[in-house]
């Protein structure tokens, strides 16, 4: 995969840190419980029931009823299940720190280099969301104040980036006013080497109302760059892929997605706050456009991201997903030893260094 790249080194860089891989989920056998019209998994002498008011013959949430003590890791979340003293299934989800404290200076340097090498006076720039994007926005504001940049217009992808731009003094405009952009930058949850395919929209970024606008602005830019730490620069995409779906008949859509990736992924509806089980609790997240968010957590590396995207898009009720394909021109990768700008041979030559 490395052979399909051009690399510009600002200092040496070590090998990417590969995130932990989800173990293969064990799908239990289900039997009908005639008294409550639901399905239960049997493990030893204990039985656990899928807590749904109306459960279909093939329960889309079978993979969530795992044996006591089984744990998995997917994307930005660690998921563990166990039985409470009363015999109910208990799910615990924790979110680790997204950026190591020791890498923040390098990530800030990557953000500054992206602004220095790509942003020119008079440009319309798509402003991403996340820690690195906030650093880049603040640096743009500094350059506007000292006069090294002029007549810049920022088009924010989220409310978070709009707030950062307002505080930094970066003039703002709407995507409707600037449907074609000169440049855009954004954070990403994972970027694949070679192709620069990426995943955006995982849980944990404040102010990210929806990935619909984020993806649209990224695709509208002539050049798009992700700013990431090296642990997110991976050989194969893996873990959680967010999927936006219509609220109507959402259980049917979740079941179809579960069937599509049976044995390879788990499907969770994202809650609006805190943590919840597979159903998303009593208060599921609703995006600004009125959609639910399903986190499709792949338990194995994604062998073909293009096929996964096409399969999801073919399902009625799916609005969009967090896979960003054939959009990024480059990735600024920060590590403990420096910053590298990685470009793909699928894109045009690296010209912004001239």
């Amino acid at each position: 995969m490395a052979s399909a790249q051009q690399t510009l080194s600002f200092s040496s860089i070590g090998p990417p840190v590969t995130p932990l891989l989800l173990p293969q989920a064990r799908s239990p056998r289900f039997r009908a419980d005639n008294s409550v019209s639901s399905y239960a998994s049997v493990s030893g002498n204990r039985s656990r029931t899928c807590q749904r008011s109306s459960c279909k013959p093939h329960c889309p949430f079978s993979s969530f009823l795992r044996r006591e003590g089984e744990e998995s890791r997917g994307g930005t979340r660690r998921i563990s299940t166990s039985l409470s003293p009363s015999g109910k299934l208990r799910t615990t989800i924790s979110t680790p720190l997204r950026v190591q404290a020791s890498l923040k200076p390098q990530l800030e340097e990557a953000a500054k280099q992206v602004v220095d090498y790509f942003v020119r006076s008079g440009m319309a720039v798509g402003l991403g969301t996340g820690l690195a994007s906030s650093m880049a926005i603040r640096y743009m504001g500094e350059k506007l104040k000292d006069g090294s940049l002029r007549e810049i217009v920022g088009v924010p992808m989220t409310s978070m980036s709009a707030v950062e731009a307002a505080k930094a003094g970066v003039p703002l405009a709407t995507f409707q006013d600037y449907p074609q952009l000169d440049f855009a930058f954004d954070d990403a949850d994972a970027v694949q080497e070679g192709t620069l395919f990426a995943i955006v929209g995982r849980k944990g970024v404040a102010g990210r109302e929806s990935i619909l606008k984020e993806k649209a602005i990224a695709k509208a830019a002539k050049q798009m760059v992700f700013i990431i730490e090296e642990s997110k620069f991976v050989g194969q995409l893996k873990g959680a892929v967010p999927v936006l779906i219509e609220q109507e008949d959402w259980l049917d859509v979740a079941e179809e997605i579960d069937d599509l990736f049976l044995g390879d992924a788990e499907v969770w509806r994202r809650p609006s706050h805190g943590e919840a089980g597979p159903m998303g609790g009593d208060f599921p997240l609703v995006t600004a456009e009125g959609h639910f968010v399903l986190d499709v957590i792949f338990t194995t590396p994604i062998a073909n991201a293009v096929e996964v995207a096409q399969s999801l898009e073919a399902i009625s009720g799916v609005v969009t997903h967090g896979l960003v394909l054939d959009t990024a021109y480059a990735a600024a990768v920060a590590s403990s030893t420096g910053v590298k700008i990685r470009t793909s041979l699928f894109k045009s030559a690296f010209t912004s260094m001239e």
Side-chain angles (χ1 to χ4, degrees), residues 67-85:
R67 295 179 183 176
E68 182 176 5
E70 181 177 344
E71 296 185 352
S72 66
R73 286 179 173 88
T76 60
R77 304 188 301 175
R78 179 182 179 186
I79 308 161
S80 62
T81 57
S82 61
L83 286 179
S84 67

Side-chain angles (χ1 to χ4, degrees), residues 292-314:
F292 285 151
V293 180
L294 298 180
D295 288 312
V296 182
I297 306 171
F298 284 86
T299 59
T300 57
I302 299 173
N304 191 322
V306 174
E307 288 185 1
V308 169
Q310 292 174 343
S311 298
L312 287 170
E313 292 164 3

Side-chain angles (χ1 to χ4, degrees), residues 252-298:
D252 292 333
V253 178
E255 179 178 357
E256 190 167 352
I257 294 174
D258 186 73
D259 287 342
L260 181 64
F261 304 116
L262 189 62
D264 294 322
E266 300 177 354
V267 183
W268 295 63
R269 183 169 63 158
R270 190 179 298 181
S272 58
H273 59 273
E275 306 295 352
M279 300 290 286
D282 296 329
F283 302 99
L285 177 66
V286 179
T287 69
E289 298 88 2
H291 305 127
F292 285 151
V293 180
L294 298 180
D295 288 312
V296 182
I297 306 171
F298 284 86

Side-chain angles (χ1 to χ4, degrees), residues 156-298:
M157 297 182 182
T158 66
S159 62
M160 177 183 177
S161 51
V163 169
E164 289 291 345
K167 291 191 296 184
V170 177
L172 292 174
T174 65
F175 188 35
Q176 289 75 19
D177 292 334
Y178 286 86
Q180 297 296 322
L181 303 173
D182 299 295
F183 178 68
F185 56 81
D186 196 9
D187 287 44
D189 298 299
V191 177
Q192 183 175 329
E193 295 182 52
T195 64
L196 299 188
F197 292 168
I199 298 175
V200 300
R202 285 177 179 167
K203 186 178 180 181
V205 179
R208 179 181 262 151
E209 302 87 355
S210 172
I211 57 176
L212 265 176
K213 185 178 180 182
E214 187 173 357
K215 288 182 64 175
I217 290 176
K219 288 182 178 295
K222 294 177 182 177
Q223 287 186 329
M224 165 68 194
V225 174
F226 286 115
I227 312 170
I228 57 172
E229 57 174 306
E230 67 171 344
S231 64
K232 298 180 179 180
F233 195 58
V234 297
Q236 285 184 291
L237 298 177
K238 61 194 73 173
V241 174
V243 179
L244 266 61
I245 63 170
E246 301 285 355
Q247 291 193 44
E248 186 177 1
D249 298 326
W250 78 270
L251 276 175
D252 292 333
V253 178
E255 179 178 357
E256 190 167 352
I257 294 174
D258 186 73
D259 287 342
L260 181 64
F261 304 116
L262 189 62
D264 294 322
E266 300 177 354
V267 183
W268 295 63
R269 183 169 63 158
R270 190 179 298 181
S272 58
H273 59 273
E275 306 295 352
M279 300 290 286
D282 296 329
F283 302 99
L285 177 66
V286 179
T287 69
E289 298 88 2
H291 305 127
F292 285 151
V293 180
L294 298 180
D295 288 312
V296 182
I297 306 171
F298 284 86

Side-chain angles (χ1 to χ4, degrees), residues 30-41 47-52 55:
F30 282 79
R31 60 176 174 79
D33 184 337
N34 295 326
S35 60
V36 294
S37 184
S38 64
Y39 288 77
S41 65
S47 173
R48 284 167 283 178
T49 304
C50 176
Q51 303 295 318
R52 295 172 58 189
C55 190

